[in-house]
Amino acid sequence: MPTNSAPLGTPTKVTQGSQTRGGIGESTLRPDGTLKVTGEFAYSSDMWHEDMLWGQILRSPVAHAEIVSIDTGEALAQPGVYAVMTYDDLPTEVKNYGLEIQDTPVLAHGKVRHHGEPVAIVAADHPETARRAAAKIKVEYRELPVITDEASATAPGAVLVHENRDDHHIGHVPHPNIVHRQPIVRGNADEAAKRADVIVKGEYYFGMQDQAFLGPESGLAVPEEDGGVHLYIATQWLHSDLRQIAPVLGLPEDKVRMTLSGVGGAFGGREDLSMQIHACLLALRTGKPVKIVYNRFESFFGHVHRHPARLYYEHGATREGKLTHVKCRIVLDGGAYASASPAVVGNASSLGIGPYVVDDVDIEAIALYTNNPPCGAMRGFGAVQACFAYEAQMDKVAKQLGMDPVEFRKLNAMEQGTIMPTGQPVDSPAPVAELLRRVSAMPLPPERQWESSEGADVRQLPGGLSNTTHGEGVVRGIGYAVGIKNVGFSEGFDDYSTARVRMEVVGGEPVAVVHTAMAEVGQGGVTVHAQIARTELGVAQVTMHPANTQVGSAGSTSASRQTYVTGGAVKNSCELVREQVLDLGRRKFGTYHPAWATAELLLEGGKVVTDGGEVLADLVDVLGDEAVEIEAEWRHRATVPFDLHTGQGNGHVQYSFAAHRAVVEVDTELGLVKVIELACAQDVGKALNPLSVVGQIQGGTTQGLGIAVMEEIIVDPKTAKVRNPSFTDYLIPTILDTPTIPVDVLELADDHAPYGLRGVGEAPTLSSTPAVLAAIRNATGLELNRTPVRPEHLTGNA
Amino acid sequence: MRVNFTVNGRPQEADDVWEGESLLYVLRERLGLPGSKNACEQGECGSCTVRLDGVPVCSCLVAAGQVEGREVVTVEGLAEYARQRACGTDACGMSHVTRDTSKNWQPKPPSDSHTGEGTELSPIQQAFIDAGAVQCGFCTPGLLVAADEMLEHNPNPTDADIREALSGNLCRCTGYEKIMDAVRLAAARQGEAV
């Protein structure tokens, strides 16, 4: 058993930044803003090269089948076609890839395991030529039975999605069609249940959500003279891609050069490879640059989705409203390949009871291998599904007890010092009750806003411009929810980042250049990293170097971690540069003023100053024609894996909390929902860029709204085929579907983190969905145990 | 086929266009104007919105041949288009450009190519930056063209007007709140300027 003693943190003292404009805490504007509003920002799909070819992927039309034969002859004979490649054309013995488990074939080998699996690739001189050639590849399939859920996956004699597994989870899973299983047991839930005056059981279903980033998977691979390749790509983690790409190409990593192109959103959907290897293979085969751009239809098949989940919960509470115990079982559908499933299981289980004090828990989470679309990372990562279920349970228990749902939550809210189900103490502020207090204290939007002297403004009613109601049958409801998300990579992962910082005089001014491999995907990492450099180095001019693999890994733009971890790396490298600059100053000017040796020295406003504010030298003079450059790795405090049997272990770096209040109006006759307002309160530790923080919270909130009432990938349970791969049939919130989102930002420093900051991006995606569901339940009185809620669930016609 | 049309005030000629190509493809891949975006290519997301003879359209749904002889404004020409509108039609002069000069046309005045600093922006573009309405930015070009067009005929929109006018433009990052702020800001600044 790991001990419960808190690891010692290293509180960060801010000594810099009071003078220099554009440092941390200010809402500085994005450095890429102008390029993005003028259309000049070069996204991965905008790449262009003289003589480039277009790549096209042929995908499986069925979910599970043996490949009997592939005939590429007719496709190859098409004018304008330069190459057609199948599994047999792969250049090395490494033919699979994967984030954790290398179970994903670059091109299908003898078998396809899900609808849309890549089977062959084509390069041609026009995208339409490539598409038509791909359609002429003849593939004969012999269909196999499909595994689609837990029952079919673990039935006696079930077909194995992957035979001969040799990954590191196979030893502890109860069935080869289960990727990973994580139990978490603490106290004695059965014994504690005897103290309960109320026991509430529930079964819930969370639908499959798509990241639906707007910039489709795309990139350009350019063959190089040394036999290598240069890939311009939109991804979340350049070095993770590189580690997976190079072995398949048979190239050393230094011959696969990667440069981050403009990334049109990510939300987890770019953690796995998509077209990277395919473009490189075709470029190396043809000797020409190859561009691949998915259309939206293909994008739905080209990346993993959020795991759909079945969740079984039992909560107990005393008459006084104290939780006695929680038992839960979370079954995540991982689809055909592992992707991030093991880590999603770790999150779903360890965060499975929410931000509450419960000493006696019995938790189990598993991820299945099925023939459904592969599922992996999406914003919130396992914690989202659990939050939907445990918050529904909290409302049910409160109702049974006759208590106000917010008061019941506050009564059980965790705080600093609470021990998690994993045995890990929460050793930084956990203002769960305070966030609930704040969000419920916000003024409510007025009732019946759509009413006016000229009649109803249908635009503000459920159904909107479809003009389905003028207010008849419309009922208002209010719901609350709160959630807990981990920040950073957990369970013992070496979650470091690297930053190279250079300081020199350019054009008579001291300039800092910050070079990291961080993937800017829209979140604003480039904005805050420049702010950190201004604060730490006291210069106005900071240049953000394009991200590439010429610098060490920054880790993934995932898990709400880049402001924390790459921000921490930038801060650390800046501090090292600052020390060298001060040493340089001491050598040059130390004899002129005793303060060089005795005072605490800062860099502020382009000058070396004492902590008393006395100016000692201009940075221009200190640096002269020298440049100071440091590249260094930085790590947050280490974590450990969860015990495979008890789930105990200090597995998480930091927690992040948000609470929502949803106000909805429901047309009960037609089952149409209008979300009127979705208020959020979140603790961010320290808002490095308040404007960006609020933008993250509003964006995450809206994705939670999407899975509450609109978004779901529909997979046919008989064939495991995707039925709605388009923005016509998979609906994400428009500006008409999205309400006002007032945000209350709390800043309680986490002394273990740089500047006390807390990762922001994911927490608001958790509690948004259950708050909307709670509001709809409040309006309709219906139980609603699945999300998204569709009209038929509200009218009783489901 | 060959297609002749006007883009951002400059006559353009696209050769060897396959009949199935969209206006979006011709702009992005043949004319070097990738500002109009390819998020769905099925008319659902609005990221490819351009003005076609003044009317906002999804350029992915317009066959290239349909634009023969017509005028297109893309995000790359939005600042200039707004400038012309602000100073009256002929006073600023734009139309006397030949095809030869257009070949060397750049959509922006000289500026810092790394950050775009120094670029002249339209009020709606500046408002998007100032209000924090840009995150990944992939929806931004289409939203700018649509919002600019709305403000052209409705300079004092209510919130409901803004939402209605922009309902054809998907954004996945922002939750639309900062986009609302940006349009309100542009309208307010426009009002102050009059």
Side-chain angles (χ1 to χ4, degrees), chain A residues 360-707:
Chain A
D360 297 279
V361 298
D362 188 347
I363 302 169
E364 178 192 25
I366 62 170
L368 303 170
Y369 270 130
T370 67
N371 296 116
N372 291 325
C375 288
M378 184 178 170
R379 193 176 197 168
F381 203 87
V384 162
Q385 296 92 328
C387 186
F388 162 69
Y390 64 66
E391 286 299 85
Q393 285 283 107
M394 291 299 281
D395 282 344
K396 283 187 191 173
V397 178
K399 194 173 177 186
Q400 288 259 321
L401 291 167
M403 288 183 75
D404 175 84
V406 173
E407 292 311 313
F408 174 60
R409 284 177 172 83
K410 283 192 204 161
L411 200 56
N412 292 284
M414 68 160 53
E415 52 194 17
Q416 185 161 357
T418 295
I419 308 296
M420 294 288 289
T422 56
Q424 182 168 17
V426 178
D427 60 359
S428 69
V432 177
E434 174 65 9
L435 292 172
L436 285 163
R437 190 192 68 72
R438 282 173 177 248
V439 81
S440 50
M442 287 193 201
L444 279 165
E447 305 245 2
R448 299 169 80 87
Q449 289 182 87
W450 34 270
E451 251 173 4
S452 76
S453 51
E454 291 124 54
D457 182 349
V458 294
R459 295 178 297 187
Q460 300 190 41
L461 276 160
L465 289 165
S466 303
N467 197 19
T468 49
T469 179
H470 287 192
E472 310 84 0
V474 171
V475 183
R476 173 174 281 210
I478 300 172
Y480 296 88
V482 61
I484 175 171
K485 176 69 184 58
N486 59 323
V487 173
F489 280 25
S490 299
E491 300 186 62
F493 193 88
D494 183 18
D495 188 29
Y496 71 97
S497 182
T498 317
R500 186 186 297 162
V501 175
R502 180 184 174 90
M503 202 171 179
E504 62 192 326
V505 178
V506 177
E509 247 195 291
V511 174
V513 181
V514 177
H515 186 184
T516 76
M518 180 211 56
E520 168 61 45
V521 302
Q523 84 278 22
V526 290
T527 321
V528 296
H529 295 162
Q531 291 177 262
I532 290 170
R534 283 190 209 99
T535 289
E536 296 300 335
L537 297 174
V539 295
Q541 291 296 323
V542 176
T543 301
M544 300 304 294
H545 193 285
N548 57 29
T549 49
Q550 308 303 306
V551 62
S553 173
S556 187
T557 301
S558 305
S560 309
R561 67 179 283 287
Q562 285 295 26
T563 301
Y564 189 135
V565 189
T566 297
V570 171
K571 178 175 189 290
N572 177 57
S573 292
C574 285
E575 286 164 352
L576 297 172
V577 166
R578 194 168 72 212
E579 281 313 307
Q580 285 206 3
V581 169
L582 290 174
D583 281 346
L584 198 59
R586 288 187 190 100
R587 285 202 299 277
K588 280 190 182 175
F589 303 113
T591 55
Y592 295 99
H593 198 301
W596 280 102
T598 56
E600 184 179 356
L601 301 181
L602 313 176
L603 306 186
E604 299 281 14
K607 295 176 170 57
V608 179
V609 299
T610 67
D611 53 354
E614 190 180 355
V615 175
L616 296 187
D618 209 305
L619 279 175
V620 171
D621 300 320
V622 172
L623 286 161
D625 52 11
E626 286 188 61
V628 175
E629 181 176 294
I630 303 270
E631 177 177 335
E633 289 177 1
W634 186 83
R635 284 169 170 78
H636 55 66
R637 55 189 173 151
T639 61
V640 300
F642 298 129
D643 182 275
L644 284 173
H645 304 287
T646 65
Q648 299 301 293
N650 289 354
H652 292 311
V653 183
Q654 185 188 54
Y655 301 103
S656 169
F657 305 92
H660 279 91
R661 181 190 66 199
V663 180
V664 304
E665 284 177 351
V666 182
D667 178 342
T668 50
E669 292 164 3
L670 292 174
L672 300 174
V673 177
K674 173 88 179 170
V675 181
I676 301 297
E677 189 199 79
L678 204 36
C680 183
Q682 182 170 341
D683 174 30
V684 303
K686 163 79 183 171
L688 263 56
N689 186 307
L691 186 70
S692 299
V693 161
V694 172
Q696 282 295 306
I697 293 171
Q698 290 169 335
T701 296
T702 303
Q703 290 182 359
L705 160 70
I707 187 64

Side-chain angles (χ1 to χ4, degrees), chain A residues 140-152:
Chain A
E140 191 186 335
Y141 297 99
R142 185 183 299 131
E143 288 202 51
L144 297 166
V146 289
I147 304 292
T148 58
D149 56 13
E150 186 178 19
S152 57

Side-chain angles (χ1 to χ4, degrees), chain A residues 229-371:
Chain A
V229 65
H230 196 145
L231 183 63
Y232 298 84
I233 190 68
T235 179
Q236 290 178 235
W237 186 358
L238 287 167
H239 288 78
S240 167
D241 284 11
L242 176 62
R243 273 196 303 277
Q244 297 172 78
I245 296 168
V248 177
L249 302 179
L251 291 172
E253 287 189 0
D254 62 0
K255 284 202 173 178
V256 181
R257 293 163 196 96
M258 297 189 54
T259 300
L260 188 75
S261 306
V263 185
F267 318 117
R270 296 187 209 268
E271 280 194 23
D272 297 77
L273 296 181
S274 57
M275 43 57 66
Q276 284 91 328
I277 297 175
H278 296 152
C280 292
L281 285 169
L282 290 169
L284 292 169
R285 167 65 75 94
T286 61
K288 284 171 169 287
V290 173
K291 172 172 171 171
I292 295 179
V293 182
Y294 291 178
N295 60 21
R296 183 53 50 181
F297 177 87
E298 186 169 18
S299 178
F300 273 95
F301 294 100
H303 61 260
V304 300
H305 312 291
R306 188 194 296 291
H307 290 73
R310 275 194 192 286
L311 309 100
Y312 309 85
Y313 272 80
E314 175 184 311
H315 279 65
T318 63
R319 209 169 283 114
E320 294 73 33
K322 276 290 198 185
L323 286 168
T324 53
H325 72 288
V326 178
K327 295 183 190 178
C328 73
R329 182 158 187 278
I330 300 172
V331 180
L332 300 149
D333 182 352
Y337 296 105
S339 180
S341 280
V344 172
V345 165
N347 270 15
S349 54
S350 61
L351 306 170
I353 67 160
Y356 301 111
V357 181
V358 189
D359 292 330
D360 297 279
V361 298
D362 188 347
I363 302 169
E364 178 192 25
I366 62 170
L368 303 170
Y369 270 130
T370 67
N371 296 116

Side-chain angles (χ1 to χ4, degrees), chain A residues 736-759:
Chain A
L736 279 173
D737 302 309
T738 307
T740 54
I741 306 170
V743 175
D744 188 353
V745 174
L746 187 60
E747 295 181 83
L748 301 179
D750 174 355
D751 289 340
H752 307 284
Y755 307 115
L757 73 85
R758 209 175 272 288

Side-chain angles (χ1 to χ4, degrees), chain B residues 26-116:
Chain B
V26 170
L27 290 169
R28 291 175 53 79
E29 303 295 341
R30 297 195 181 277
L31 300 182
L33 295 171
S36 307
K37 287 289 167 276
N38 56 317
C40 80
E41 298 179 83
Q42 57 184 168
E44 294 287 358
C45 75
S47 73
C48 65
T49 304
V50 301
R51 305 279 294 267
L52 179 58
D53 289 344
V55 179
V57 296
C58 286
S59 60
C60 72
L61 293 185
V62 176
Q66 286 179 286
V67 301
E68 177 69 28
R70 300 171 74 179
E71 292 202 17
V72 172
V73 176
T74 72
V75 70
E76 287 96 339
L78 195 60
E80 178 64 13
Y81 185 81
R83 193 181 68 81
Q84 301 267 332
R85 181 175 56 210
C87 65
T89 42
D90 276 336
C92 303
M94 178 178 185
S95 54
H96 309 293
V97 184
T98 66
R99 183 166 297 140
D100 286 338
T101 57
S102 77
K103 280 178 183 160
N104 296 320
W105 178 71
Q106 294 291 315
K108 51 156 189 152
S111 66
D112 182 334
S113 64
H114 185 59
T115 63

Side-chain angles (χ1 to χ4, degrees), chain A residues 88-151:
Chain A
D88 292 335
D89 300 303
L90 295 176
T92 75
E93 286 312 303
V94 181
K95 298 173 197 293
N96 283 3
Y97 67 91
L99 286 173
E100 181 188 325
I101 301 171
Q102 285 71 49
D103 64 355
T104 313
V106 174
L107 292 167
H109 178 219
K111 195 180 197 184
V112 289
R113 295 183 177 84
H114 70 90
H115 182 203
E117 179 159 349
V119 175
I121 49 178
V122 177
D125 58 8
H126 189 284
E128 184 62 17
T129 309
R131 275 192 287 274
R132 290 181 180 194
K136 289 191 186 302
I137 299 171
K138 295 188 184 70
V139 186
E140 191 186 335
Y141 297 99
R142 185 183 299 131
E143 288 202 51
L144 297 166
V146 289
I147 304 292
T148 58
D149 56 13
E150 186 178 19

